[in-house]
Amino acid sequence: MTKLAQAFLTGVFFTFILDFQFFLGIKFHYIDRYEIDVYYNILFADHQNLLYLTPLVVIIGFMTTYVKNVKIPLITLGILFAVTLLIYIPSLGEKVGAYMLQKKAVEYRDGRYTYKGTLYYDGRKKITIFDDELQRLITLNKKDLQK
C-alpha cells in the first residue's frame, strides 16, 4: 500500500509540474499578448481536465515507482518536459492558447448593444471579445449580458 501511495504522489508531483509549465506558456504567449486581465491561478484552476490528467498521473507514477530500469522513466519524463516546454515558443504558445480558449463567430447582447466577433477569453466574471464592427478587443461584464 505504501508503494502505491508513493506512485500516486510521485505521479501527481510530476504531472503538476508539467501542467504548470503548459499553462505558464499559454499565459506568456496568449493571455499576456492580448492583454487579457486574468490572474494566472484562475487560468490554471479553471482549465484543468481530469480526463487528461488522471491517466498521466497513473502512468508517470507507475513508471517512476515500479519500473526497475531507471533509464525508461528518465527518458520518458525528459521527453514530456521537452514537449511541454515547446509551448514557450511564442507562435506555438499563441496557437495552443487560441485552440483552447478562442471561439469564432460569437454574439453577445447587453441592454443596448450587440457584439459580434471572436471570443478570446471567457472568464469567471468577464469575457474578452474582439468586436468585428469596432475592430478592437473589448471586455464585457457577464452580469450585464442578456442570456
Side-chain angles (χ1 to χ4, degrees):
M1 186 67 181
T2 315
K3 200 159 186 165
L4 187 63
Q6 179 185 357
F8 174 74
L9 291 174
T10 303
V12 167
F13 175 73
F14 283 117
T15 303
F16 176 77
I17 292 171
L18 292 168
D19 195 36
F20 178 85
Q21 291 299 323
F22 178 80
F23 279 100
L24 196 58
I26 291 173
K27 170 86 167 92
F28 287 155
H29 300 299
Y30 182 79
I31 299 294
D32 291 348
R33 180 183 189 279
Y34 294 109
E35 298 175 358
I36 298 170
D37 186 28
V38 63
Y39 188 58
Y40 175 78
N41 291 349
I42 293 173
L43 171 71
F44 183 77
D46 286 354
H47 294 91
Q48 296 303 310
N49 190 335
L50 291 178
L51 291 174
Y52 295 132
L53 293 178
T54 304
L56 197 59
V57 165
V58 171
I59 291 168
I60 290 175
F62 175 79
M63 266 193 343
T64 55
T65 306
Y66 288 104
V67 174
K68 300 287 184 202
N69 187 351
V70 177
K71 290 181 182 178
I72 294 172
L74 282 177
I75 291 170
T76 305
L77 284 173
I79 290 170
L80 287 172
F81 278 108
V83 167
T84 303
L85 292 176
L86 284 175
I87 204 155
Y88 284 91
I89 298 171
S91 60
L92 188 60
E94 183 181 352
K95 285 179 186 176
V96 171
Y99 177 77
M100 286 180 56
L101 304 172
Q102 267 187 20
K103 293 179 186 170
K104 305 263 185 206
V106 295
E107 183 175 311
Y108 293 100
R109 291 190 176 107
D110 64 9
R112 299 181 349 203
Y113 302 107
T114 299
Y115 305 96
K116 295 179 184 177
T118 302
L119 176 69
Y120 275 62
Y121 185 75
D122 187 357
R124 292 181 181 178
K125 296 180 181 178
K126 296 181 179 187
I127 61 169
T128 303
I129 183 174
F130 182 84
D131 189 286
D132 292 337
E133 186 176 312
L134 297 174
Q135 287 296 306
R136 67 184 181 107
L137 210 58
I138 57 173
T139 303
L140 304 172
N141 289 320
K142 280 187 170 182
K143 66 179 181 177
D144 297 336
L145 299 175
Q146 297 174 350
K147 304 251 173 179

